[in-house]
Amino acid sequence: MKHYKYLLFDLDGTLTESGRGIINSVLYALKKNGIDETDREKLWAFVGPPLTDSFQKYYGMTREQSLHMVDDYREYYLERGWKENLVYEGIPEVLESLRAQGRRLIVATSKPETSAKKILAYFQLDSYFDLIAGATMDESRNRKDQVIAYALRQMGTAENILMVGDRSHDVEGARENGLLCIGVLYGYGSREELEEAGAAAICPEVRDLPAVIAALEKASSPLASGAMTGDSCFCNI
């Protein structure tokens, strides 16, 4: 039976409910640059993906302009936004349970690594993780596939690893590194987004995560076609 010894976790939308701080920071950057955005709901799309990509995609900015926006975003985020954040209920207990099973936990986030470490320490989650891997401040490593590849190099292995995240870029970044990904529905991505991206399993609630992982491990061939459904998960196996 397959055993996933290493679990890679996304941060925003997977471990913490960070949307308010991110959206407030985006609004600050937009206003500072003369853009009066009145549709706050539109900005939920910024939670998770690299900020430079989102500014280019949703506001038609150039790469250079998006880098400037990220600098302005960080003015608010580094002072206030990072604390406008909550740990999802049940996360500490689930992390403790997974560690008790002998698993090693790693964070792989498109958030700057310095910010990720600060947030996890603030919420007293850092002790659960063997490694916290994130983006660079100069945006040279900001895509999820790049962050995962960086984490794998730091770990010194690419075997028996499973990704857990809430957006399509988590699934796609995992696949580009030869990994399966569980998509969680309690974050910011929809079931449709995650299934279209090719998530190996769908986890509706925080408490379901250990069972979803176990279901993948019990499957005889995680990459075979077909489906297995249940109260806790949908597995493309």
Side-chain angles (χ1 to χ4, degrees):
M1 185 175 70
K2 184 76 173 180
H3 175 67
Y4 291 110
K5 180 177 180 180
Y6 302 95
L7 302 177
L8 301 182
F9 282 85
D10 176 44
L11 178 53
D12 296 329
T14 302
L15 297 174
T16 67
E17 188 177 355
S18 55
R20 186 163 68 97
I22 291 173
I23 289 174
N24 286 343
S25 301
V26 172
L27 284 170
Y28 172 88
L30 292 172
K31 185 175 182 179
K32 186 174 179 180
N33 287 273
I35 301 173
D36 186 19
E37 180 57 73
T38 58
D39 185 2
R40 188 180 177 92
E41 290 299 311
K42 172 182 177 180
L43 301 182
W44 284 106
F46 278 75
V47 183
L51 291 167
T52 51
D53 292 353
S54 295
F55 280 119
Q56 291 175 67
K57 179 178 180 179
Y58 299 110
Y59 290 93
M61 295 182 179
T62 65
R63 170 74 174 172
E64 183 178 353
Q65 289 171 328
S66 70
L67 288 170
H68 173 72
M69 293 295 288
V70 170
D71 287 340
D72 290 340
Y73 167 99
R74 286 174 179 159
E75 287 182 8
Y76 182 97
Y77 188 83
L78 294 177
E79 181 180 350
R80 297 175 56 187
W82 70 277
K83 285 187 178 180
E84 295 173 341
N85 199 352
L86 295 170
V87 177
Y88 284 110
E89 184 177 356
I91 282 292
E93 292 79 5
V94 165
L95 297 178
E96 185 67 41
S97 172
L98 294 171
R99 282 179 60 89
Q101 295 172 8
R103 304 183 196 272
R104 299 182 66 178
L105 313 183
I106 296 94
V107 170
T109 174
S110 293
K111 185 182 293 297
E113 189 169 300
T114 52
S115 295
K117 289 180 177 179
K118 184 177 181 179
I119 291 166
L120 290 165
Y122 179 76
F123 288 115
Q124 298 181 329
L125 295 179
D126 55 331
S127 62
Y128 292 108
F129 297 97
D130 294 299
L131 173 68
I132 299 171
T136 54
M137 291 293 284
D138 65 2
E139 301 291 319
S140 61
R141 181 180 71 236
N142 68 344
R143 298 196 317 269
K144 184 50 69 84
D145 63 298
Q146 294 173 325
V147 172
I148 292 174
Y150 164 69
L152 297 183
R153 290 195 299 272
Q154 298 298 306
M155 293 161 60
T157 183
E159 301 294 326
N160 301 316
I161 303 170
L162 180 66
M163 179 73 199
V164 181
D166 70 310
R167 299 299 304 273
S168 61
H169 68 280
D170 296 312
V171 181
E172 293 160 358
R175 183 168 59 248
E176 290 185 33
N177 285 277
L179 309 178
L180 294 179
C181 180
I182 290 174
V184 301
L185 290 184
Y186 58 82
Y188 300 108
S190 67
R191 177 182 288 271
E192 180 181 19
E193 173 186 338
L194 292 165
E195 289 182 354
E196 286 185 356
I202 298 297
C203 177
E205 303 290 344
V206 172
R207 64 177 180 270
D208 298 324
L209 189 54
V212 175
I213 294 170
L216 281 176
E217 290 178 327
K218 290 178 182 178
S220 60
S221 178
L223 297 180
S225 61
M228 177 176 68
T229 59
D231 293 336
S232 298
C233 65
F234 172 93
C235 300
N236 299 320
I237 54 178

